[in-house]
Amino acid sequence: IVMTQTPLSLAVTPGEPASISCRASQSLFDSEDGETYVDWYLQKPGQAPKLLIYTLSYRASGVPARFRGSGSGTVFTLKISRVESEDVGVYYCMQRIEFPYTFGQGTRLEIK
Amino acid sequence: EVQLVQSGAVLKKPGESLKISCEGSGYTFAHYWIGWVRQMPGKGLEWIGVIFPGDSDTRYNPSFKGQVTISADKSINTAYLQWRTLKASDTAIYFCARRPATAEGSFNYFDPWGQGTPVTVSS
């Protein structure tokens, strides 16, 4: 499954919203359990990826409410309601409905 | 606290062998999958494979099969990623990550991750 993210980079003013899109080459919806298996990660410079959103829209423990995952089928979005300076890094979507799991190319978020 | 601690950075020559490790703590190691991810310099993330330490069930990304070996020793809570013959193109940071093995697929996400092991292969 190919995961395609857009844009590949974006620069956002603190306090403004940001949106990252991810498209899968096939549906990530599992009709057996009704779940959609896309996760979002943030990799800050020099660090390991950190889970933000799992199974389409569930925020991981400790993740601020300004992060929101949405979408369906093959099209997904990560939205940050008000960007803060600590949000800089590379964001990845990842599918885990089918092995091998695959990541998007990554979207680099910078602060203006 | 659940933690994955990886072995340190290594510098190897082409043709040499290597085994890096990922030690889990704060949970029952045998009951969770461990996955391995490659990040080549300046590039994105790629899944190499996963292993279930409880029974050593292992699955490889076809792109990596035959190039690396994934193993685990549940008696010492450690998973391994191994190369027989390193190439310069194996230069990358390698991450391990933990995944539950529940019947509830929605909770089978990868978290936490190890800190990464930088591997440099150069003559």
Side-chain angles (χ1 to χ4, degrees), chain A residues 20 39-45 47-53 63-64 66-67 78 80 84-93 103 107-110, chain B residues 39 45 113:
Chain A
I20 300 169
D39 305 327
W40 290 90
Y41 291 86
L42 166 59
Q43 187 177 29
K44 295 186 179 182
Q47 296 185 18
K50 176 192 166 191
L51 180 70
L52 294 176
I53 302 289
V63 174
R66 64 179 183 275
F67 290 93
L78 177 70
I80 310 173
E84 297 188 7
S85 58
E86 65 184 30
D87 299 335
V88 296
V90 180
Y91 291 79
Y92 294 93
C93 59
F103 293 93
T107 296
R108 184 175 302 277
L109 175 68
E110 299 174 341
Chain B
Q39 187 168 41
L45 305 167
W113 291 53

Side-chain angles (χ1 to χ4, degrees), chain A residues 94-109:
Chain A
M94 188 200 100
Q95 67 80 17
R96 57 180 166 89
I97 195 170
E98 178 181 289
F99 194 79
Y101 310 128
T102 45
F103 293 93
Q105 319 96 298
T107 296
R108 184 175 302 277
L109 175 68

